[in-house]
Amino acid sequence: MCLFSEQGIYTADSDIMCYKVGKVALNGIKSPSEWFFFEFDKLYTDQEPEMITECEEGHKMIGAGFFHAFVDERVALKEAEGVNRWYGYSKEYKVFQAIIPKGTKYYKGLHHDICAKSIKILRDDE
Protein backbone atom coordinates (compact mmCIF):
# COMPACT_ATOMS: atom_id res chain seq x y z
CA MET A 1 0.00 0.00 0.00
CA CYS A 2 1.25 3.45 -0.82
CA LEU A 3 -0.71 6.67 -0.40
CA PHE A 4 0.43 10.26 -0.86
CA SER A 5 -1.23 12.90 1.32
CA GLU A 6 -0.97 16.67 1.60
CA GLN A 7 -2.71 16.78 4.97
CA GLY A 8 -2.23 15.35 8.40
CA ILE A 9 -4.14 12.53 9.99
CA TYR A 10 -7.90 12.79 10.57
CA THR A 11 -10.36 11.05 12.86
CA ALA A 12 -13.64 9.92 11.27
CA ASP A 13 -16.60 11.89 12.70
CA SER A 14 -18.96 9.25 11.30
CA ASP A 15 -18.67 6.03 9.28
CA ILE A 16 -17.01 6.64 5.90
CA MET A 17 -18.27 4.64 2.93
CA CYS A 18 -15.39 3.60 0.70
CA TYR A 19 -14.40 0.99 -1.89
CA LYS A 20 -11.84 -1.79 -1.65
CA VAL A 21 -10.36 -3.64 -4.62
CA GLY A 22 -10.06 -7.39 -4.16
CA LYS A 23 -10.94 -10.81 -5.49
CA VAL A 24 -13.42 -13.21 -3.93
CA ALA A 25 -11.76 -15.93 -1.86
CA LEU A 26 -13.65 -18.24 0.51
CA ASN A 27 -15.88 -16.03 2.69
CA GLY A 28 -14.14 -12.75 1.91
CA ILE A 29 -11.64 -11.11 -0.41
CA LYS A 30 -7.91 -11.03 -0.99
CA SER A 31 -6.21 -7.71 -1.60
CA PRO A 32 -4.49 -7.21 -4.99
CA SER A 33 -1.12 -7.92 -3.50
CA GLU A 34 -2.70 -11.08 -2.02
CA TRP A 35 -0.88 -10.31 1.19
CA PHE A 36 -4.05 -9.88 3.21
CA PHE A 37 -7.34 -11.76 3.43
CA PHE A 38 -10.46 -9.94 4.65
CA GLU A 39 -13.52 -11.84 5.83
CA PHE A 40 -16.77 -10.11 4.90
CA ASP A 41 -18.46 -8.00 7.59
CA LYS A 42 -15.55 -8.32 10.02
CA LEU A 43 -13.80 -5.26 11.43
CA TYR A 44 -10.03 -5.23 10.91
CA THR A 45 -7.55 -2.93 12.62
CA ASP A 46 -4.07 -2.68 11.13
CA GLN A 47 -1.51 -3.69 13.75
CA GLU A 48 1.55 -3.36 11.51
CA PRO A 49 4.10 -0.68 12.35
CA GLU A 50 3.26 2.56 10.59
CA MET A 51 5.62 3.66 7.85
CA ILE A 52 5.13 7.36 7.14
CA THR A 53 7.75 9.28 5.20
CA GLU A 54 7.84 13.07 5.25
CA CYS A 55 8.35 14.41 1.74
CA GLU A 56 8.99 17.92 0.48
CA GLU A 57 6.43 20.68 1.04
CA GLY A 58 4.79 18.84 3.93
CA HIS A 59 3.55 15.93 1.86
CA LYS A 60 3.51 12.47 3.40
CA MET A 61 3.89 9.02 1.89
CA ILE A 62 2.08 6.35 3.89
CA GLY A 63 3.64 2.99 3.10
CA ALA A 64 2.37 0.67 5.84
CA GLY A 65 0.25 0.46 8.97
CA PHE A 66 -3.05 1.39 7.32
CA PHE A 67 -5.61 -0.25 5.01
CA HIS A 68 -5.89 1.35 1.57
CA ALA A 69 -9.24 2.01 -0.14
CA PHE A 70 -10.90 4.53 -2.46
CA VAL A 71 -13.52 7.20 -1.73
CA ASP A 72 -14.60 7.38 -5.38
CA GLU A 73 -16.10 4.21 -6.87
CA ARG A 74 -15.07 5.18 -10.41
CA VAL A 75 -11.42 5.42 -9.35
CA ALA A 76 -11.71 2.04 -7.60
CA LEU A 77 -13.16 0.50 -10.77
CA LYS A 78 -10.22 1.88 -12.79
CA GLU A 79 -7.81 0.41 -10.22
CA ALA A 80 -9.49 -3.01 -10.45
CA GLU A 81 -9.26 -2.89 -14.24
CA GLY A 82 -5.58 -1.99 -14.01
CA VAL A 83 -4.85 -4.83 -11.60
CA ASN A 84 -6.67 -7.31 -13.83
CA ARG A 85 -4.67 -6.05 -16.83
CA TRP A 86 -1.45 -6.39 -14.79
CA TYR A 87 -2.26 -10.05 -14.14
CA GLY A 88 -3.11 -10.62 -17.79
CA TYR A 89 -6.81 -10.83 -16.99
CA SER A 90 -6.15 -14.17 -15.28
CA LYS A 91 -7.52 -12.82 -12.00
CA GLU A 92 -10.93 -11.36 -11.35
CA TYR A 93 -10.46 -8.33 -9.15
CA LYS A 94 -13.47 -6.15 -8.56
CA VAL A 95 -14.70 -3.43 -6.24
CA PHE A 96 -16.34 -4.07 -2.87
CA GLN A 97 -18.07 -1.58 -0.62
CA ALA A 98 -16.41 -1.04 2.72
CA ILE A 99 -16.78 1.10 5.82
CA ILE A 100 -14.18 3.00 7.78
CA PRO A 101 -15.83 3.20 11.21
CA LYS A 102 -16.46 6.37 13.18
CA GLY A 103 -13.49 7.20 15.39
CA THR A 104 -10.91 5.65 13.03
CA LYS A 105 -7.68 7.49 12.22
CA TYR A 106 -7.14 8.00 8.47
CA TYR A 107 -5.28 9.93 5.78
CA LYS A 108 -6.82 11.41 2.62
CA GLY A 109 -4.87 10.62 -0.52
CA LEU A 110 -4.20 12.76 -3.58
CA HIS A 111 -5.94 10.32 -5.97
CA HIS A 112 -9.40 9.90 -4.40
CA ASP A 113 -7.96 7.26 -2.12
CA ILE A 114 -7.84 6.88 1.63
CA CYS A 115 -5.94 4.80 4.14
CA ALA A 116 -7.31 4.00 7.56
CA LYS A 117 -6.37 2.10 10.69
CA SER A 118 -9.65 0.11 10.59
CA ILE A 119 -11.93 -1.15 7.82
CA LYS A 120 -14.83 -3.53 7.29
CA ILE A 121 -15.45 -5.08 3.84
CA LEU A 122 -19.18 -5.49 3.21
CA ARG A 123 -20.61 -8.71 1.82
CA ASP A 124 -21.23 -8.56 -1.92
CA ASP A 125 -24.75 -9.87 -2.57
CA GLU A 126 -24.29 -10.28 -6.33
Side-chain angles (χ1 to χ4, degrees):
M1 189 271 316
C2 192
L3 176 133
F4 292 95
S5 179
E6 292 180 322
Q7 291 114 6
I9 197 162
Y10 294 89
T11 301
D13 293 333
S14 60
D15 288 354
I16 300 171
M17 183 60 69
C18 59
Y19 304 92
K20 181 76 178 156
V21 174
K23 71 174 185 168
V24 176
L26 298 173
N27 189 28
I29 68 168
K30 281 190 174 183
S31 65
S33 63
E34 296 190 26
W35 294 343
F36 199 87
F37 173 76
F38 296 90
E39 285 183 49
F40 289 123
D41 301 319
K42 181 177 177 183
L43 180 63
Y44 287 89
T45 300
D46 198 321
Q47 301 297 326
E48 294 293 317
E50 295 176 7
M51 189 170 69
I52 302 169
T53 305
E54 296 286 336
C55 302
E56 55 188 60
E57 298 180 19
H59 290 70
K60 296 177 184 347
M61 181 181 73
I62 294 83
F66 295 83
F67 296 115
H68 186 252
F70 295 90
V71 292
D72 186 320
E73 186 177 20
R74 292 169 298 168
V75 176
L77 288 165
K78 282 184 178 182
E79 177 73 11
E81 177 67 20
V83 171
N84 283 322
R85 192 173 329 114
W86 172 261
Y87 285 115
Y89 295 98
S90 63
K91 308 239 182 201
E92 296 185 19
Y93 287 93
K94 60 183 203 169
V95 175
F96 296 84
Q97 283 192 322
I99 293 174
I100 295 169
K102 177 181 178 178
T104 300
K105 302 285 187 194
Y106 70 96
Y107 283 93
K108 295 178 184 179
L110 299 176
H111 305 287
H112 303 284
D113 53 349
I114 191 169
C115 66
K117 292 301 289 181
S118 296
I119 195 168
K120 182 193 298 186
I121 311 302
L122 303 178
R123 183 173 304 279
D124 183 12
D125 293 327
E126 287 185 10

